[in-house]
């Protein structure tokens, strides 16, 4: 008859720990070409925020030069930045239109 061999005790300090990835921020840059309505519309479309939150973020970027509009995992931040860029430029801007300025930075 076989006997069960007890498993060795593992000290808590030697257990493998999962390291969390640092958060990243999607940064919206100030834009003097695209209309405020277009910026708010893009933020609503990409993030599903309320109009009030979108206006606040847009004004924050307008007054301070940039604003963190989302914070989370790097892969999702890259996706959100690409979604913002893919919205293109404001259709009401006749010349010199360009997609919204957006970047990704480690969250502070």
């Amino acid at each position: 008859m076989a006997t069960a061999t007890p498993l060795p005790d593992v000290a808590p300090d030697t257990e493998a720990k999962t390291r969390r990835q640092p958060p990243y921020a999607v940064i919206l840059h100030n834009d003097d070409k695209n209309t405020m309505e277009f910026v708010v519309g893009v933020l609503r479309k990409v993030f599903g925020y309320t109009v009030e939150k979108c206006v606040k973020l847009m004004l924050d970027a307008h007054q301070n030069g940039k604003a963190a509009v989302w914070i989370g995992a790097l892969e999702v931040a890259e996706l959100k930045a690409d979604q913002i860029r893919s919205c293109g430029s404001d259709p009401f801007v006749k010349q010199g239109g360009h997609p919204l300025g957006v970047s990704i930075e480690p969250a502070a």
Side-chain angles (χ1 to χ4, degrees):
M1 180 164 154
T3 59
T5 317
L7 295 174
D9 289 332
V10 178
D13 60 336
T14 61
E15 290 181 13
K17 292 185 179 180
T18 303
R19 289 180 40 182
R20 300 186 91 199
Q21 294 292 329
Y24 282 80
V26 176
I27 306 296
L28 177 68
H29 298 272
N30 185 32
D31 184 343
D32 291 332
K33 291 284 185 184
N34 295 304
T35 63
M36 293 180 172
E37 292 82 6
F38 177 73
V39 176
V40 168
V42 169
L43 293 175
R44 290 199 69 204
K45 181 178 181 179
V46 172
F47 298 105
Y49 293 157
T50 63
V51 172
E52 294 79 14
K53 183 170 184 172
C54 293
V55 169
K56 181 187 176 307
L57 292 168
M58 179 267 307
L59 289 174
D60 191 26
H62 182 71
Q63 294 165 351
N64 300 316
K66 62 182 183 176
V69 294
W70 187 87
I71 296 175
L74 175 60
E75 294 81 7
V76 180
E78 290 171 338
L79 172 66
K80 295 298 183 184
D82 286 343
Q83 289 174 333
I84 291 171
R85 288 185 200 105
S86 73
C87 288
S89 62
D90 189 341
F92 292 106
V93 175
K94 299 297 181 205
Q95 291 182 341
H98 54 80
L100 297 178
V102 65
S103 61
I104 301 170
E105 299 176 2

